[in-house]
Amino acid sequence: MSASEKANEPFLITTAISYPNGAPHIGHAYEVIATDAIARFHRLDGRDVLFTTGTDEHGLKIQQTAAKAGVTPRAFVDDMAGRFKAVADRLDCTYDRFIRTTEADHYAAAQELWRRMEAKGDIYLAKYAGWYSVRDEAYYDEAETVLGPDGGRRSIKTDTPVEWMEEENYLFRLSKYQEPLLKLYAEQPDFLGPETRMNEVASFVRSGLKDLSMSRTTFDWGVPVPDHPGHVMYVWVDALTNYLTVTGFPDPAAPNARFWPASLHIIGKDIVRFHAVYWPAFLMSAGLPLPKRIFGHGFFLSRGEKISKSLGNVVDPLDLVGTYGVDPVRYFLLREAPFGGDGNYDHEVIINRINADLANDLGNLAQRSLSMIAKNCEGMVPEPGTFTEADERLLAAAAALPDKTRGLMQNLALHAILAEIWAVVGEANRYFASEEPWKLRKSDPARMNTVLYVTVETLRRVGLMVQPFVPTAGAALLDLLAVPVDRRSFAFTGEEHRLRGGTPLPAPAPIFPRFEKPEAMA
Ligand code: ME8
């Protein structure tokens, strides 16, 4: 939630839409998992959430890749979109719509946005020439390119080959929006995060904006420009509009119309300029409200190297999940790197995280306390006696989690939320070890009951808070604590919803098994 937002407003949260010209990789997985965790958090906190993700299916690159594969662009994207959707499903992502830019309602939205910008006088026909990168679907200035070792020119920023292109196409008066954009950044500093990205974008805009090429005539795999046969929209114009399409734009009476303006666009750091410069400029031109916030997350690298097909280190998210399980992969990706910074992906680090944080700290504590209850308390939540200072301290630490995590969520500090939750888990482990309930069984069973009670009530609150991040394990833990499914939102974290002594509990079962390295990986 941005500072300017109220807790009861509808909350549209989106991922970037992926290019389906290659298979889904760990970067795509990271983005959709993080966005899902944020969406789940707000839903559990009682907000009206619309969460969308999808595929960006037009452009020359897709047309060329399909041609190479010997199929039509349509058949190609149909197949690939299914693969991206399957990954989001397998990662337990609770998107409300998987939007594909080849869908009919998206064409209608993109064409209407175009018409409004044109009606405003912001779109004009001109001859455009420049160094064009097919990979980036973008033109570069000569100064933004260098001669590569093969004698061909490349973009300095993205290291992709560029070729000289000249076409007559439509341009957007981006230059007109330089001042309004700078005003936006100044008045709404949380429009774009993290702060470093805002500084980069503001200085890019300050250095001067040139009008933007908006249509292509050299290929036809795109959304037709309305009333101008032979032109298709520049793929970014069409792609950005997906965020409006999902709200039913342009129909003000559409069921999802209340979700515009979007609350949060989650994107990677490489596409910040498109979202924080072009997108608000298009919307200003069309007279539409601007998204409240954009956040550019970092990149996941494989042992410090960029993930790329040529380096042969592309990680298939389905393989990763097959090896480690969905919740461990979600936990690892969100815990490993500060959201906004880059992360390193490494098998050893994943295994350590799974075994230390999940299996030992949380899994073992649940297993030990719940098996003691099964054996010594007739399988029911024990009745606590008077709380000691140590009991109160642990319960208070757990009770502070919802407010602490809400605060951190405002800054999208997902890794810090997990660190806070696991700090309480650590505290609970120290408490359990120092209270030694297994010794109290004979010497002071009433005190044993209290210690076990405090431990499982702490686990209940932890269980509620981990749901956005590790949904299956969170649900399993709450099942073991007999917390009814309709009492799992953050409204139930409070004291008055504590576990009740005498509630029968199911037989304990492990929630996070240890990861044992198969021979082949050792
Ligand atoms: O950019 N680590 O699509 P895309 C983390 N279609 N995130 C990564 C990553 C990595 N290694 N590699 C890519 C596009 N991403 C456009 C978006 S939105 C209107 C159009 C992120 O498939 C990347 O930053 O290349 C982007 O947010 C998303 O994955 C899709 O990238």
Side-chain angles (χ1 to χ4, degrees):
M1 186 166 39
S2 74
S4 52
E5 229 187 329
K6 294 186 196 63
N8 57 359
E9 284 173 4
F11 191 91
L12 168 59
I13 178 168
T14 65
T15 65
I17 47 172
S18 309
Y19 286 130
N21 58 314
H25 56 64
I26 193 168
H28 296 119
Y30 178 53
E31 185 168 299
V32 73
I33 288 171
T35 310
D36 179 63
I38 301 167
R40 284 178 184 262
F41 187 99
H42 287 294
R43 266 192 224 117
L44 285 164
D45 216 8
R47 292 196 71 170
D48 177 19
V49 173
L50 181 69
F51 161 27
T52 66
T53 187
T55 36
D56 180 359
E57 305 186 354
H58 292 124
L60 182 55
K61 196 170 25 185
I62 298 275
Q63 190 170 321
Q64 287 177 344
T65 316
K68 245 184 244 158
V71 293
T72 61
R74 180 85 226 182
F76 180 75
V77 294
D78 281 351
D79 173 49
M80 292 302 288
R83 293 172 63 179
F84 276 82
K85 192 163 181 287
V87 166
D89 290 334
R90 183 75 182 90
L91 295 169
D92 239 350
C93 292
T94 52
Y95 57 84
D96 297 291
R97 173 161 176 193
F98 189 95
I99 175 163
R100 300 183 50 192
T101 55
T102 47
E103 288 172 296
D105 63 341
H106 177 71
Y107 274 57
Q111 291 178 332
E112 179 58 23
L113 184 75
W114 182 285
R115 279 193 199 95
R116 292 192 190 186
M117 296 189 284
E118 193 171 37
K120 184 76 170 282
D122 285 341
I123 291 182
Y124 62 96
L125 194 62
K127 187 156 183 151
Y128 199 91
W131 293 102
Y132 189 75
S133 159
V134 173
R135 167 67 185 89
D136 302 341
E137 305 265 12
Y139 276 102
Y140 291 98
D141 284 343
E142 178 120 351
E144 292 179 295
T145 65
V146 278
L147 277 177
D150 57 354
R153 226 162 239 290
R154 306 181 79 79
S155 148
I156 297 173
K157 185 153 175 269
T158 57
D159 193 32
T160 54
V162 294
E163 56 196 283
W164 186 254
M165 290 252 271
E166 285 181 22
E167 42 178 334
E168 188 165 62
N169 57 27
Y170 286 95
L171 263 67
F172 173 75
R173 294 189 202 282
L174 186 62
S175 52
K176 185 176 142 187
Y177 291 92
Q178 178 166 346
E179 286 315 313
L181 285 167
L182 290 172
K183 188 160 171 274
L184 165 71
Y185 307 151
E187 286 174 358
Q188 212 181 303
D190 69 351
F191 177 71
L192 169 64
E195 215 181 317
T196 48
R197 303 281 163 232
M198 178 57 120
N199 297 340
E200 284 166 19
V201 160
S203 87
F204 167 74
V205 173
R206 232 176 280 120
S207 74
L209 292 177
K210 281 202 298 276
D211 289 354
L212 181 72
S213 162
M214 293 284 271
S215 71
R216 302 286 183 262
T217 53
T218 46
F219 61 93
D220 61 4
W221 181 238
V223 178
V225 168
D227 312 319
H228 302 292
H231 288 260
V232 293
M233 291 182 198
Y234 168 42
V235 70
W236 271 101
V237 181
D238 139 31
L240 288 161
T241 314
N242 92 85
Y243 305 130
L244 278 174
T245 308
V246 298
T247 68
F249 176 82
D251 177 6
N256 284 337
R258 69 181 184 286
F259 286 102
W260 194 261
S263 292
L264 184 56
H265 293 317
I266 296 290
I267 55 166
K269 61 181 183 181
D270 59 328
I271 55 172
V272 163
R273 188 182 293 187
F274 298 94
H275 283 79
V277 181
Y278 302 171
W279 184 223
F282 295 166
L283 292 166
M284 285 176 192
S285 169
L288 291 165
L290 309 185
K292 294 171 197 162
R293 195 177 189 188
I294 295 160
F295 191 87
H297 62 72
F299 265 37
F300 251 82
L301 313 171
S302 171
R303 296 197 171 118
E305 285 175 333
K306 206 178 148 97
I307 298 160
S308 80
K309 268 191 208 151
S310 52
L311 288 171
N313 60 0
V314 178
V315 183
D316 181 343
L318 295 180
D319 287 347
L320 211 53
V321 162
T323 307
Y324 300 110
V326 176
D327 279 354
V329 168
R330 290 174 62 110
Y331 180 81
F332 165 77
L333 290 173
L334 299 181
R335 180 74 181 84
E336 193 51 29
F339 197 51
D342 291 338
N344 245 309
Y345 141 90
D346 184 321
H347 283 291
E348 289 300 323
V349 187
I350 302 185
I351 294 169
N352 286 341
R353 281 266 175 224
I354 296 176
N355 287 342
D357 298 9
L358 302 183
N360 278 353
D361 292 355
L362 184 54
N364 260 351
L365 182 66
Q367 181 74 17
R368 288 174 72 196
S369 53
L370 289 167
S371 343
M372 276 196 77
I373 289 177
K375 273 194 215 115
N376 305 301
C377 312
E378 296 168 39
M380 291 189 285
V381 175
E383 202 67 66
T386 317
F387 291 141
T388 63
E389 213 176 284
D391 301 343
E392 299 278 14
R393 211 179 314 123
L394 180 58
L395 289 171
L401 280 178
D403 278 348
K404 264 194 194 164
T405 54
R406 276 188 195 105
L408 292 166
M409 187 51 96
Q410 288 217 9
N411 301 326
L412 301 173
L414 304 182
H415 65 295
I417 295 180
L418 289 171
E420 282 291 345
I421 300 173
W422 258 262
V424 172
V425 173
E427 229 174 286
N429 272 297
R430 284 190 293 279
Y431 166 88
F432 197 78
S434 77
E435 296 290 334
E436 304 183 303
W438 53 94
K439 284 192 184 158
L440 297 168
R441 194 165 60 89
K442 289 230 167 75
S443 61
D444 189 351
R447 178 65 196 149
M448 174 194 74
N449 283 348
T450 309
V451 171
L452 291 174
Y453 179 86
V454 169
T455 307
V456 292
E457 171 58 13
T458 302
L459 286 172
R460 182 186 73 91
R461 293 178 186 190
V462 165
L464 293 174
M465 300 316 300
V466 299
Q467 296 177 94
F469 306 95
V470 286
T472 306
L477 178 57
L478 296 170
D479 286 346
L480 292 176
L481 298 169
V483 176
V485 172
D486 60 356
R487 296 171 70 86
R488 295 183 179 183
S489 75
F490 296 163
F492 292 93
T493 46
E495 175 99 66
E496 63 283 17
H497 303 291
R498 275 177 19 182
L499 291 171
R500 290 229 173 110
T503 309
L505 297 177
I511 47 171
F512 283 120
R514 270 187 79 76
F515 182 82
E516 305 295 349
K517 237 191 217 181
E519 293 278 314
M521 277 176 80

